Amino acid sequence: MPVINRHSHGEALNIITFNDNQINFNEEKLSQLLLHPQVKDREIAIVSIVGAYRKGKSFFMDYCLRFMYANFKSLNNSNLSSTSSWIGDKDEALTGFSWRSGSIRDTTGLSFWSDIFLHDENLAILLVDTQGLFDPETSTEENAKILTLSTLLSSSLILNLNNVIQEDQLQYLQYATEFASLASSNNHNNSKPFQRFLFLIRDWQNVDDFEFGMNGGAAYLDQILKSKPDQSEELKSVREHIRESFDELLCCLMPYPGKKVATSSDYDGRWSAMDEDFFNELRLLIENFLAVDKIVSKRVNGVQVTGSSFFEIIKNYIMTFST
Ligand code: GDP
Ligand code: MG
């Protein structure tokens, strides 16, 4: 059987990288994406992922890419070819953002998929992967900057976490959203500063308390974000703040993917090697999260951005961060 290389029409572009706390911005490459003739006047949706390192972020985004290629036209691939299921052949190797790329990381920062997905006449969708957050070599300051920038850039932000939501991760998020709200400044209308947020919990173990998937996740998140009588004011205000920052807060509890996926060094990403319940939840989540009617476009201070206006806004953000 011929090898299908679905992703020959795109590559990962490291557009914003960090180096010893220095931010490097490839303005030229970002302009090629956002000022593309077919993108500059469209509304923009940016789906990005941040979080725990070596916990399947890129792996997840590559399955998202499969879904996008099967369901949307893109700049480099105008045929909606797929007649079979979007998830592809059971033994197809996983390509796209590079995943499981050894234990030594090369870059820290935000990496944009170079191909852009188009919907109708007025929406362009970009996927962004992040490297280096919360890994042992990344400083607290770098973590905070990456999370803040990702919050500013995304219309749908995924925070990928291992096992549970921890208090320090909520505090990080509070810090980032506070800083990001400041950077996006004068919000005169009453809209919340950011749009969609998904806590993606990997290797969830407490199925007796909360079931896998979005429903279990919603109940779990409710419990986490609830203010409790015996809670300190600080813990309460963190929760309040996170709730006030996003239009939509979601959570999904994912099963352990199975030994092959989690530990095998020669695993190529094929779904036939996944545990069945992981495979089912992965499909459901992606079909739900990336459904065209669920995709939200980016608003800044309550105003819908276009490719070209967002390009200018991002340049400003980067300037704020560089000083
Ligand atoms: P990233 O550093 O977060 O981008 O992680 P990668 O996507 O490169 O994946 C790192 C490793 O985790 C790979 O070997 C994947 O097969 C594995 N992996 C993918 N999803 C999961 C998951 O849900 N749980 C666990 N335990 N491992 C996973
Ligand atoms: Mg990765």
Side-chain angles (χ1 to χ4, degrees):
M1 220 169 70
V3 177
I4 311 168
N5 192 354
R6 296 161 175 274
H7 299 139
S8 54
H9 21 253
E11 60 178 322
L13 304 173
N14 292 321
I15 288 185
I16 301 170
T17 56
F18 289 87
N19 207 331
D20 293 331
N21 271 328
Q22 276 286 107
I23 184 166
N24 307 303
F25 171 48
N26 194 327
E27 184 177 331
E28 169 86 27
K29 280 206 172 118
L30 187 67
S31 76
Q32 284 163 8
L33 299 182
L34 293 180
L35 302 183
H36 186 284
Q38 288 206 65
V39 176
K40 65 181 180 32
D41 298 321
R42 288 173 182 254
E43 290 174 10
I44 300 293
I46 299 196
V47 180
S48 21
I49 192 163
V50 294
Y53 97 116
R54 308 240 337 116
K55 267 298 158 197
K57 287 189 301 296
S58 306
F59 181 90
F60 178 75
M61 290 307 271
D62 288 343
Y63 273 98
C64 289
L65 279 174
R66 262 192 204 180
F67 179 86
M68 296 305 289
Y69 276 110
N71 288 285
F72 293 87
K73 282 189 297 186
S74 74
L75 288 180
N76 301 337
N77 178 33
S78 54
N79 314 318
L80 279 179
S81 52
S82 163
T83 46
S84 55
S85 164
W86 68 265
I87 197 122
D89 184 82
K90 67 180 176 35
D91 295 324
E92 191 178 330
L94 189 61
T95 56
F97 291 107
S98 77
W99 59 285
R100 205 198 50 202
S101 47
S103 54
I104 305 160
R105 64 166 167 106
D106 39 351
T107 36
T108 308
L110 279 69
S111 124
F112 287 60
W113 192 247
S114 66
D115 201 4
I116 296 179
F117 302 94
L118 306 173
H119 177 62
D120 287 347
E121 293 302 302
N122 50 13
L123 181 65
I125 305 158
L126 287 86
L127 267 57
V128 179
D129 190 16
T130 306
Q131 289 159 282
L133 196 69
F134 302 138
D135 85 10
E137 293 158 68
T138 313
S139 69
T140 313
E141 193 183 335
E142 248 175 48
N143 283 334
K145 279 187 178 168
I146 297 173
L147 193 54
T148 305
L149 262 176
S150 300
T151 307
L152 283 167
L153 259 54
S154 311
S155 55
S156 287
L157 180 60
I158 305 165
L159 180 58
N160 192 55
L161 298 172
N162 193 20
N163 303 137
V164 288
I165 300 176
Q166 285 167 352
E167 200 57 44
D168 61 334
Q169 290 152 346
L170 288 181
Q171 271 166 17
Y172 249 119
L173 184 60
Q174 180 200 17
Y175 175 85
T177 50
E178 232 165 57
F179 200 88
S181 313
L182 284 180
S184 64
S185 71
N186 48 22
N187 194 351
H188 295 309
N189 44 36
N190 284 327
S191 64
K192 293 186 177 171
F194 309 109
Q195 286 91 58
R196 279 181 111 195
F197 188 91
L198 170 69
F199 288 93
L200 181 55
I201 316 291
R202 312 299 275 261
D203 302 358
W204 177 251
Q205 289 167 7
N206 310 320
V207 252
D208 291 342
D209 300 328
F210 300 100
E211 61 181 7
F212 293 131
M214 304 289 280
N215 289 338
Y220 172 61
L221 189 60
D222 219 42
Q223 195 214 42
I224 294 274
L225 292 185
K226 198 156 58 189
S227 299
K228 300 172 191 85
D230 55 344
Q231 225 165 24
S232 71
E233 282 310 311
E234 193 196 348
L235 295 192
K236 276 186 194 156
S237 91
V238 167
R239 285 160 175 71
E240 174 83 354
H241 182 84
I242 291 171
R243 251 199 275 270
E244 285 308 309
S245 295
F246 296 93
D247 287 333
E248 203 179 351
L249 282 171
L250 305 166
C251 177
C252 184
L253 305 175
M254 291 294 288
Y256 179 71
K259 220 167 146 188
K260 181 90 185 170
V261 178
T263 60
S264 171
S265 60
D266 60 3
Y267 174 54
D268 65 1
R270 63 184 62 203
W271 61 257
S272 57
M274 295 172 186
D275 277 5
E276 196 181 337
D277 52 355
F278 178 85
F279 174 70
N280 290 334
E281 294 298 341
L282 181 71
R283 279 176 78 158
L284 282 173
L285 170 61
I286 291 178
E287 287 168 9
N288 183 311
F289 192 68
L290 296 178
V292 66
D293 57 331
K294 299 272 180 62
I295 289 184
V296 284
S297 49
K298 181 69 186 168
R299 276 181 280 114
V300 176
N301 300 330
V303 179
Q304 212 85 251
V305 299
T306 60
S308 57
S309 71
F310 200 37
F311 179 65
E312 295 304 320
I313 291 171
I314 293 176
K315 280 202 294 189
N316 271 321
Y317 289 156
I318 302 284
M319 245 151 55
T320 313
F321 271 80
S322 310
T323 49

